[in-house]
Amino acid sequence: MRFLLVEDNAELADAVVQRLGLDGHAVDHAGTLAAAEDCLAVAEYDLILLDVMLPDGDGRDFLSRHRDHLETPVIVLTARSQISDRVGALDQGADDYITKPFDFSELEARCRAVLRRRGGAAKNEITLGEAVFDPMAGTLRHGAQVLDLRNRELRLLEVFARAQGQILSKGQLLDRLFSMDADVTENAIEVYVGRLRKKLDGVGVRIETVRGLGYRMDT
């Protein structure tokens, strides 16, 4: 999935980007609200992690301006521990909050919970043919076997799983899998799709090439 992190602390931002990247997520980092506006103008995100105190304004004002038309879930990152601050963030449209300093495992868990709620699911699992996919845990089970998928393959499978039957272009897949500063081309998508196809062989899931348009997953 693709996340936008709005955080002016470079050390913390780098740590968050690296940690979420280990799970195969693409994370764009904006150090100011102006940079965040630029990111939103050119990309779509599955989740926004939003700091409150930023050099050019308050993250909660940014949230208030966008919430009426922005459906992307938002987790507010705040150093303020007062209940009134947390309640205020939720009332202004945040889907959740986490207080700094935080443990990365808690951040990951809150991201999973928010994405699960936004998807309308009571649990993480998605049935794909004869297999059961849990995108949050990063597992694909076929009977008693857990198939070995690397992180980027898992995230590609997640994109397809949430858009079954839809045609996704190479450009769309590239946007979902890689951040803005990643030096990759659409050829990388061909490679990952090829790898994923091999690992899905025999589980009742097919990734079809739609000539001139992209790919489509059918079960």
Side-chain angles (χ1 to χ4, degrees):
M1 291 193 155
R2 189 168 185 177
F3 295 174
L4 174 61
L5 170 64
V6 189
E7 169 60 60
D8 65 324
N9 184 313
E11 184 176 353
L12 174 60
D14 185 59
V16 171
V17 169
Q18 289 190 39
R19 181 62 178 255
L20 294 176
L22 291 175
D23 290 332
H25 298 296
V27 184
D28 291 327
H29 170 226
T32 64
L33 294 177
E37 297 280 6
D38 291 340
C39 289
L40 288 176
V42 298
E44 294 183 6
Y45 295 97
D46 299 291
L47 179 65
I48 297 174
L49 302 173
L50 178 64
D51 189 18
V52 171
M53 302 304 294
L54 292 152
D56 56 344
D58 191 314
R60 292 167 299 183
D61 295 335
F62 172 89
L63 178 59
S64 295
R65 288 197 305 273
H66 286 280
R67 188 38 95 195
D68 286 344
H69 60 274
L70 182 68
E71 296 183 358
T72 307
V74 176
I75 297 178
V76 168
L77 313 178
T78 176
R80 299 175 175 178
S81 59
Q82 295 294 322
I83 292 177
S84 58
D85 293 319
R86 303 198 296 267
V87 170
L90 294 172
D91 284 342
Q92 286 171 296
D95 295 86
D96 200 356
Y97 64 86
I98 186 168
T99 304
K100 301 178 186 179
F102 49 78
D103 185 88
F104 285 115
S105 60
E106 181 185 0
L107 176 63
E108 291 170 327
R110 288 183 179 273
C111 290
R112 290 193 297 268
V114 166
L115 290 169
R116 185 171 62 246
R117 292 198 301 269
R118 181 52 61 100
K123 58 181 181 178
N124 297 324
E125 295 179 346
I126 302 172
T127 299
L128 297 175
E130 302 168 8
V132 177
F133 177 45
D134 186 335
M136 302 306 177
T139 59
L140 179 66
R141 299 194 312 274
H142 182 218
Q145 180 185 14
V146 178
L147 302 181
D148 181 25
L149 272 68
R150 296 182 178 179
N151 285 336
R152 195 76 69 182
E153 295 163 355
L154 285 166
R155 296 311 160 204
L156 177 59
L157 177 59
E158 182 176 5
V159 173
F160 278 124
R162 297 188 185 281
Q164 295 183 54
Q166 299 178 33
I167 298 174
L168 300 173
S169 70
K170 291 180 183 178
Q172 287 176 308
L173 295 173
L174 197 67
D175 286 343
R176 306 314 295 165
L177 293 180
F178 297 97
S179 60
M180 291 181 181
D181 57 357
D183 184 18
V184 294
T185 67
E186 292 185 356
N187 290 335
I189 297 301
E190 296 179 10
V191 172
Y192 283 113
V193 168
R195 291 177 183 173
L196 186 57
R197 277 175 170 155
K198 291 180 180 179
K199 295 184 178 182
L200 293 176
D201 186 37
V203 303
V205 179
R206 183 178 72 257
I207 300 176
E208 175 189 3
T209 298
V210 182
R211 187 175 298 276
L213 296 177
Y215 303 98
R216 177 173 55 208
M217 171 180 278
D218 289 311
T219 59

